[in-house]
Amino acid sequence: MEDEKFLSGYCRALDQTRMVTVEITDGDAVPDCSFGSCPYEGSCLIAKSIRELSQN
């Protein structure tokens, strides 16, 4: 099953609000941001939401 989600929130790397598109295929979330290599990922609420989407 394929799904698409839109997440918004503050991006510390860009220092501004950001809308992130996440494509979800068979539990694998693929965002259009630097998720997985962003230095601020540990404290990023968008990254937290992406991880939660991956677990569902």
Side-chain angles (χ1 to χ4, degrees):
M1 183 175 113
E2 190 171 314
D3 195 11
E4 187 174 67
K5 300 286 183 187
F6 298 95
L7 307 172
S8 65
Y10 175 73
C11 176
R12 188 171 174 191
L14 297 176
D15 193 23
Q16 64 185 14
T17 302
R18 168 88 199 271
M19 175 87 55
V20 176
T21 303
V22 183
E23 294 181 15
I24 305 164
T25 306
D26 298 326
D28 184 32
V30 181
D32 70 343
C33 68
S34 296
F35 180 77
S37 63
C38 180
Y40 305 108
E41 191 172 313
S43 61
C44 177
L45 295 178
I46 297 173
K48 179 182 175 186
S49 296
I50 294 169
R51 284 190 293 275
E52 289 172 357
L53 289 172
S54 295
Q55 293 174 359
N56 292 333

